[in-house]
Amino acid sequence: MRVVVIGAGVIGLSTALCIHERYRPVLQSLDVKVYADRFTPLTSTDVAAGLWQPYISDPSHPQEALWNQQTFNYLLSHINSPNAANMGLALVSGYNLFHEAVPDPYWKDIVLGFRKLTPRELDNFPDYSYGWFNTSLILEGRRYLQWLTERLTERGVKFFLRKVESFEEVARGGADVIINCTGVWAGALQPDPLLQPGRGQIIKVDAPWMKHFIITHDPERGIYKSPYIIPGIQAVTLGGIFQLGNWSETNNIQDHNTIWEGCCRLEPTLKDAEIVGEWTGFRPARPQVRLEREQLHFGSSNTEVIHNYGHGGYGLTIHWGCALEVAKLFGKVLEERSLLKMPPSHL
Amino acid sequence: MDRVRIAVVGAGVMGLSTTVCISKLVPRCSITVISDKFTPETTSDVAAGMLIPPTYPDTPLHKQKQWFKETFDHLFAIANSTEAEDAGVLLVSGWQIFRSIPAEEVPFWADVVLGFRKMTKDELKKFPQHVFGQAFTTLKCEGPVYLPWLEKRVKGSGGLILTRRIEDLWELHPSFDIVVNCSGLGSRQLAGDAKIFPVRGQVLKVQAPWLKHFIRDGSGLTYIYPGISNVTLGGTRQKGDWNLSPDAEISKDILSRCCVLEPSLRGACDIREKVGLRPSRSGVRLEKELLVRDGRRLPVVHHYGHGSGGIATHWGTALEAARLVSECAQALRTPAPKSKL
């Protein structure tokens, strides 16, 4: 059973790991390979700040709420491990700020200690009149991808730097199942009008006194278009850019100014912070995640494709729940092909 | 008397902050800070500087709360200003956890810190050996950055700094008109105060930048305080112990206790040991005293004995000390036959 995962961002690597962990013990012939034209630190995941936080409105696909929760619980279960920092994982608390009262988000009981902000806390943020405080998690993309790569390498999963031009090419190369984790570039393998780049730009600064995330919301501008400040393990990410349809991969000076002015207004202590980097990435924006099977016929063989892309700005937030779902679908494929002697008890 | 000459003995957080407060309150005075030790070699430099106040048995609770609130409000304004990084002040959230339900579930300072509440069951899962906890946001004020920032303010308002070890407060007469005694443990000798004693604290300063929350065991003996450039791990409370050299066995024990609360600390590196002697007393001594000897008079304002609560209360007590100094200055300036002191 030859599986090829296309894509080496958080979705590709975590899905590969999830499948390997669950099925290698019961399927000796399982062979998993990862094909990608970009590996860390050049993936979209590497640009993400890494804060676990879904969008504040309910997802259009209710399953996504479950996948988010599964991811949070999975990560939280690692928080007391001595290896947590090696995974890029840490607890972080902080503020979500609004111009007016809003309903609580559906994930308020998933995160820890969710509460409304007190008036004294809001005094700190004169442009905002309402907000939440909660404890969540940071999962730093770069560190997590390195950790996933180590885990996969230990298991004998091999990585190949190659640009895949078609599913057919991979199928004719011998793959039985293809896991499509190509993110924002999925349209190149199969047109998807629902998928668009949600271009983001971020500035990383050295500001080690910032221990909290601060995320502002402006419903008129839309998600990620309002300043946000997210501390990482070493540096602090400043952002606030979301441009649908913009494929420009270079940093833009106006966006830089928008981010800088917005974040310094929000947090005046940043004015002297040293800038250590600036990056652009594309959120794979889609009305909902595409997570489904598709059978493709090339010549006489049937190739199973399991799509797992379109996670927008919440890839790290939802990744493990999606990986589990893909593993479930993969299990069905194995059953259909009578490859599974018994269902794995630990699924 | 035109210019009142004031000597402040001690250059820890009390000496420097009192000097700043005096310069704002007392007109026409000159202030000289005199100390044998300056930052980074004071007790204030070893302290983590967390604004979580202790309880002084001999000081009225309303006073303690007032001092803490004044300090908190003062530092909160700095934390939100462009001075924050230069002053070494930051906001930090976290948890104080207990192995058994404490007698006092809501401490006197609960409404001074931000967002104080009981920890939820889910939050407590992180600490399997603990059954109760408090979550809140408070401030951290770091000595090695705050003290130089205060020194700049002292010099900026015309204050002088003098390195000298004072063995007897009378050495300051007649060069100075008022003495402010912020000598901490030094008051055993300088004020003949047997009620002040050291409580030795050993800490580790480590690199663990992924830690964003403080964790404090309710006993106060084990704590993890992330700061701007390192994380302070503690600690010990050794009454009557004057030893300033770090003890390797104690360091191992501190690291081990902290790793129980935060296992990821096994990855901490660049571990440095520090020792400080808390200037402990059953109550802060904040009062005037008129020293008299052979017909000479020396007004003294005592401002010492904050134990483990120095940083947490310093601005409130400094304001009060400055008021006492102002009273002394007024008395000196009043042309009355008898001084009101």
Side-chain angles (χ1 to χ4, degrees):
Chain A
M1 162 53 58
R2 285 158 301 183
V3 177
V4 169
V5 176
I6 313 177
V10 64
I11 302 299
L13 297 192
S14 61
T15 307
L17 184 63
C18 194
I19 288 179
H20 205 273
E21 280 178 346
R22 272 147 190 72
Y23 293 102
R24 185 66 181 80
V26 296
L27 188 59
Q28 296 294 318
S29 72
L30 180 65
D31 174 76
V32 177
K33 292 186 169 60
V34 175
Y35 291 178
D37 58 1
R38 293 173 185 237
F39 287 87
T40 178
L42 302 172
T43 71
S44 301
T45 304
D46 290 286
V47 187
L51 177 67
W52 187 98
Q53 183 162 303
Y55 292 174
I56 58 176
S57 50
D58 290 354
S60 45
H61 187 202
Q63 277 280 71
E64 292 190 8
L66 173 65
W67 295 336
N68 285 330
Q69 177 164 30
Q70 287 172 323
T71 306
F72 190 87
N73 292 338
Y74 168 73
L75 294 173
L76 194 64
S77 72
H78 287 84
I79 208 65
N80 272 353
S81 149
N83 285 316
N86 280 342
M87 273 174 83
L89 185 64
L91 282 167
V92 66
S93 294
Y95 307 87
N96 275 280
L97 302 172
F98 304 86
H99 295 295
E100 56 188 8
V102 295
D104 293 345
Y106 71 88
W107 40 266
K108 69 183 250 245
D109 292 324
I110 301 176
V111 294
L112 300 171
F114 181 94
R115 63 172 173 85
K116 317 282 201 298
L117 289 179
T118 63
R120 276 171 71 214
E121 289 173 305
L122 283 165
D123 282 345
N124 231 357
F125 306 111
D127 291 343
Y128 299 89
S129 60
Y130 186 83
W132 310 326
F133 186 91
N134 64 267
T135 300
S136 184
L137 295 161
I138 285 280
L139 184 62
E140 273 201 345
R142 169 122 180 85
R143 193 80 273 285
Y144 188 49
L145 290 180
Q146 286 172 314
W147 187 85
L148 287 169
T149 306
E150 285 163 21
R151 302 286 75 71
L152 288 166
T153 305
E154 269 166 13
R155 291 172 158 272
V157 172
K158 300 254 184 302
F159 299 82
F160 298 87
L161 176 65
R162 65 186 256 195
K163 185 162 170 59
V164 170
E165 304 288 356
S166 66
F167 290 125
E168 177 163 7
E169 144 203 339
V170 178
R172 291 197 185 276
D176 301 304
V177 178
I178 300 174
I179 321 277
N180 177 20
C181 305
T182 48
V184 73
W185 296 281
L189 290 180
Q190 189 185 91
D192 183 346
L194 297 175
L195 178 69
Q196 284 183 281
R199 180 182 176 280
Q201 185 168 319
I202 50 130
I203 303 173
K204 284 217 163 122
V205 301
D206 188 33
W209 60 91
M210 295 289 309
K211 305 295 182 191
H212 299 92
F213 61 81
I214 307 175
I215 311 206
T216 66
H217 299 267
D218 189 339
E220 281 176 28
R221 280 150 78 183
I223 191 91
Y224 300 129
K225 290 196 186 121
S226 198
Y228 57 82
I229 298 168
I230 298 172
I233 291 181
Q234 301 282 10
V236 178
T237 299
L238 312 182
I241 301 292
F242 185 97
Q243 295 152 347
L244 216 46
N246 186 348
W247 279 107
S248 168
E249 201 159 4
T250 50
N251 294 327
N252 173 289
I253 185 74
Q254 271 110 334
D255 293 337
H256 171 97
N257 292 337
T258 302
I259 298 167
W260 190 257
E261 280 154 24
C263 290
C264 284
R265 192 180 154 83
L266 181 59
E267 183 56 51
T269 67
L270 288 171
K271 82 169 196 333
D272 286 329
E274 190 195 327
I275 295 179
V276 297
E278 189 152 6
W279 284 276
T280 293
F282 305 111
R283 302 174 186 87
R286 204 173 182 276
Q288 62 188 55
V289 175
R290 185 177 183 200
L291 181 38
E292 61 188 4
R293 283 170 62 178
E294 185 180 6
Q295 264 135 7
L296 299 178
H297 306 283
F298 302 114
S300 56
S301 55
N302 284 349
T303 308
E304 280 285 341
V305 177
I306 305 179
H307 297 284
N308 186 9
Y309 68 84
H311 305 78
Y314 51 96
L316 284 155
T317 296
I318 203 173
H319 79 278
W320 193 250
C322 291
L324 288 169
E325 183 68 21
V326 171
K328 238 198 305 186
L329 295 179
F330 181 72
K332 289 221 177 66
V333 172
L334 295 182
E335 273 177 39
E336 287 164 13
R337 296 188 181 197
S338 307
L339 285 170
L340 220 49
K341 304 249 174 12
M342 58 180 178
S345 56
H346 50 269
L347 239 190
Chain B
M1 163 170 304
D2 196 40
R3 203 154 195 78
V4 176
R5 298 157 305 166
I6 302 172
V8 174
V9 179
V13 69
M14 297 311 156
L16 295 180
S17 57
T18 309
T19 303
V20 170
C21 288
I22 294 170
S23 69
K24 291 199 199 150
L25 191 64
V26 182
R28 299 183 331 268
C29 69
S30 75
I31 314 175
T32 306
V33 177
I34 307 175
S35 181
D36 58 351
K37 294 259 188 280
F38 289 85
T39 177
E41 289 164 356
T42 71
T43 306
S44 307
D45 290 288
V46 183
M50 288 299 294
L51 263 70
I52 302 176
T55 303
Y56 301 112
D58 286 358
T59 300
L61 207 58
H62 76 271
K63 259 260 157 284
Q64 296 185 48
K65 186 163 180 181
Q66 179 198 326
W67 292 336
F68 181 56
K69 182 167 175 12
E70 284 169 341
T71 307
F72 193 95
D73 290 345
H74 172 75
L75 292 176
F76 188 50
I78 295 175
N80 295 317
S81 76
T82 51
E83 296 282 328
E85 188 193 359
D86 293 332
V89 183
L90 61 151
L91 271 168
V92 61
S93 297
W95 310 285
Q96 179 164 238
I97 52 183
F98 299 80
R99 287 169 194 268
S100 59
I101 314 247
E104 195 186 55
E105 293 190 10
V106 180
F108 76 84
W109 42 266
D111 57 354
V112 177
V113 298
L114 299 170
F116 184 96
R117 59 174 175 83
K118 290 215 269 266
M119 283 170 75
T120 64
K121 272 206 172 68
D122 281 335
E123 288 177 304
L124 277 166
K125 283 186 189 153
K126 179 169 161 57
F127 308 108
Q129 294 174 11
H130 294 75
V131 302
F132 179 86
Q134 302 151 339
F136 54 94
T137 301
T138 188
L139 293 158
K140 188 175 195 286
C141 175
E142 306 195 334
V145 183
Y146 188 60
L147 261 49
W149 186 78
L150 282 176
E151 263 188 35
K152 251 171 82 174
R153 252 134 212 80
V154 165
K155 291 181 188 157
S157 59
L160 299 170
I161 311 251
L162 185 62
T163 306
R164 197 169 123 198
R165 186 179 169 79
I166 304 291
E167 304 286 355
D168 184 320
L169 290 182
W170 280 107
E171 291 171 35
L172 301 165
H173 180 90
S175 314
F176 297 93
D177 305 305
I178 302 172
V179 170
V180 188
N181 172 24
C182 303
S183 61
L185 269 177
S187 296
R188 258 182 99 91
Q189 174 183 337
L190 290 180
D193 187 348
K195 296 207 284 198
I196 187 160
F197 57 94
V199 173
R200 182 182 182 280
Q202 184 163 323
V203 294
L204 304 176
K205 309 259 182 190
V206 311
Q207 289 303 305
W210 60 89
L211 293 181
K212 311 291 181 192
H213 298 88
F214 68 80
I215 302 171
R216 180 180 201 265
D217 184 288
S219 66
L221 271 177
T222 305
Y223 49 81
I224 298 164
Y225 295 143
I228 294 179
S229 46
N230 56 40
V231 180
T232 302
L233 307 182
T236 65
R237 276 211 217 108
Q238 299 155 287
K239 258 175 97 158
D241 190 333
W242 291 86
N243 186 356
L244 278 168
S245 306
D247 178 316
E249 282 305 310
I250 289 181
S251 291
K252 272 211 283 244
D253 181 60
I254 291 173
L255 188 57
S256 152
R257 280 186 276 131
C258 288
C259 282
V260 169
L261 298 183
E262 181 57 63
S264 70
L265 277 171
R266 308 249 177 88
C269 55
D270 192 19
I271 299 175
R272 299 184 188 197
E273 300 163 301
K274 298 248 183 255
V275 177
L277 306 178
R278 300 173 185 83
S280 301
R281 204 172 181 274
S282 56
V284 176
R285 188 174 183 203
L286 195 43
E287 62 186 3
K288 294 182 285 200
E289 183 185 9
L290 178 65
L291 299 184
V292 180
R293 185 195 280 182
D294 308 325
R296 297 174 292 159
R297 307 157 79 95
L298 183 59
V300 175
V301 171
H302 293 290
H303 179 204
Y304 66 86
H306 300 70
S308 63
I311 311 269
T313 57
H314 78 278
W315 195 253
T317 58
L319 286 170
E320 193 160 317
R323 283 194 284 274
L324 295 177
V325 171
S326 173
E327 286 172 14
C328 291
Q330 283 198 358
L332 287 173
R333 285 176 166 144
T334 308
K338 274 201 208 113
S339 158
K340 289 202 178 78
L341 269 176

